[in-house]
């Protein structure tokens, strides 16, 4: 249950980052992106711990048994990183203007 909660929180922070970028709140976009990255990392750690406790294979976060989980985590992490870079680029552009 903890894994699902952390994953959903990371997703909510990711959506908040998108909204902040849309409304040109770049500092909040960076904060929400960083929270999404942290939430995604915590979700991955929690997922690995859950696999260990249940006695399942933890290679590539259980990719052979649960292929969607590592792909979703990777996608969330990449999108959060892209949004953070976009926020930083927007701040630099605003600073120059």
């Amino acid at each position: 249950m903890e894994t699902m909660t952390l994953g959903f929180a990371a997703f909510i922070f990711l959506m908040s980052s998108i909204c902040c970028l849309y409304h040109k709140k770049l500092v909040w976009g960076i904060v929400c992106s960083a929270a999404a990255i942290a939430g995604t990392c915590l979700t991955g750690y929690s997922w690995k711990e859950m696999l260990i406790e249940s006695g399942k294979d933890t290679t590539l976060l259980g990719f052979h048994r649960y292929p969607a989980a590592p792909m979703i985590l990777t996608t969330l992490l990449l999108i959060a990183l892209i949004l953070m870079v976009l926020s930083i680029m927007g701040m630099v552009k605003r600073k120059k203007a």
Side-chain angles (χ1 to χ4, degrees):
M1 191 66 171
E2 174 186 326
T3 304
M4 296 287 285
T5 305
L6 287 171
F8 189 66
F11 180 74
I12 294 297
F13 278 121
L14 193 65
M15 292 298 111
S16 298
S17 178
I18 291 171
C19 289
C20 289
L21 275 176
Y22 179 74
H23 293 291
K24 306 278 191 243
K25 306 290 184 191
L26 301 175
V27 174
W28 285 108
I30 291 173
V31 170
C32 289
S33 294
I37 290 169
T40 304
C41 292
L42 288 173
T43 302
Y45 178 76
S46 177
W47 177 255
K48 184 185 81 158
E49 291 298 316
M50 189 175 70
L51 288 173
I52 289 170
E53 287 175 7
S54 65
K56 295 186 174 79
D57 184 23
T58 60
T59 306
L60 295 174
L61 290 177
F63 182 76
H64 298 293
R65 189 172 185 122
Y66 306 104
M71 285 191 261
I72 291 170
L73 289 173
T74 304
T75 303
L76 281 174
L77 190 63
L78 285 176
I79 292 172
L81 286 171
I82 289 169
L83 290 173
M84 182 175 275
V85 168
L86 288 174
S87 294
I88 292 170
M89 287 174 47
M91 287 180 70
V92 169
K93 184 190 269 186
R94 184 183 287 176
K95 182 94 172 174
K96 284 185 178 180

